[in-house]
Amino acid sequence: MSWRGPAGGDPHRFGTEAFYASLGRAFVAMCAVVPVLFLIEALDVGLHANLDVAAGIIPHRIQGLDGVFFSPFLHANFNHLYSNSVPLILLGTFVLAAGTRRFLWSTLVIILVSGLGVWFTGSPNSVVVGASGVIFGYLGILLTRGIVERSWWNFAVVLLVGLLYGWQLLGILPTDERISWQGHLFGLLGGIVAAVLFRRRRAELHPPLPSEPPLTLP
């Protein structure tokens, strides 16, 4: 006599085989993104392309509006990129593990909200680059998913990130440093919007119980 249950389980349910497989694939994918960012920075430095100015966000200027899409892939220097790499991999992994389509659409919303927020409110004498707006957006996604999807797992991730990088949350407040707090703040807001727009529906959160499993008699 044998019973055949669902293979792997629910990829959104903590502890299932499918969940860990999804998390592993997401981690590998995010680890592959960071070398691309380093390659872009290396080409910028090596070729003296000055991509930061050419493709960064220049607030209130039409010629700096295309930076809304390009600026997350650019960084002021390698130290700037190093500081963004680990939180980008960590937060991006947990966001991507919930589904590729949701990840891509959510990232697009974050880029738009963060970039346009910087363009409208930033200093016209500045050029803004970096993935930190996206990072704060992923943080907003995980926090909001914990509320709207009643996911204790997402709350646990946010708590872990808070313990590791909680001091960086102060980056959403105005400071005298050369940091775009607008990008952080609007990135966080973009993540909240994305989490609400692309949340899992009630039917997905509470699927119907499976029918009686098939029995195989010897």
Side-chain angles (χ1 to χ4, degrees):
M1 182 181 298
S2 65
W3 171 73
R4 178 175 294 180
D10 184 355
H12 302 291
R13 186 177 296 276
F14 175 75
T16 64
E17 179 181 342
F19 173 84
Y20 291 120
S22 177
L23 200 62
R25 290 191 297 269
F27 177 74
V28 171
M30 292 307 302
C31 285
V33 169
V34 171
V36 175
L37 299 181
F38 272 93
L39 177 60
I40 293 173
E41 184 63 21
L43 290 174
D44 186 21
V45 173
L47 299 177
H48 304 285
N50 202 20
L51 292 178
D52 295 353
V53 175
I57 300 174
I58 305 176
H60 308 293
R61 298 185 184 181
I62 296 299
Q63 66 267 31
L65 191 56
D66 58 350
V68 168
F69 295 100
F70 296 126
S71 63
F73 303 97
L74 305 173
H75 290 80
N77 49 52
F78 281 108
N79 287 335
H80 185 202
L81 180 51
Y82 285 133
S83 66
N84 280 340
S85 295
V86 174
L88 180 63
I89 292 174
L90 180 62
L91 292 170
T93 293
F94 292 110
V95 175
L96 178 56
T100 303
R101 181 175 297 179
R102 282 212 295 173
F103 172 82
L104 293 176
W105 280 109
S106 297
T107 302
L108 178 60
V109 169
I110 291 168
I111 288 174
L112 284 173
V113 174
S114 176
L116 290 175
V118 169
W119 191 83
F120 277 109
T121 65
S123 170
N125 298 319
S126 64
V127 177
V128 180
V129 294
S132 54
V134 174
I135 292 170
F136 273 82
Y138 290 160
L139 183 63
I141 284 179
L142 295 174
L143 178 60
T144 307
R145 279 182 185 171
I147 298 172
V148 300
E149 298 182 10
R150 299 179 182 179
S151 170
W152 291 106
W153 165 243
N154 282 302
F155 274 131
V157 173
V158 171
L159 177 61
L160 172 62
V161 172
L163 292 174
L164 294 175
Y165 300 101
W167 60 272
Q168 289 190 358
L169 292 177
L170 296 176
I172 66 175
L173 301 175
T175 66
D176 294 329
E177 299 180 20
R178 297 177 61 187
I179 296 175
S180 175
W181 61 269
Q182 296 97 333
H184 298 173
L185 175 59
F186 283 102
L188 186 68
L189 293 176
I192 293 172
V193 171
V196 173
L197 288 177
F198 308 119
R199 66 188 182 277
R200 295 180 69 198
R201 305 298 174 177
R202 183 175 296 275
E204 296 176 293
L205 293 171
H206 304 287
L209 293 175
S211 57
E212 191 69 22
L215 296 178
T216 304
L217 299 177

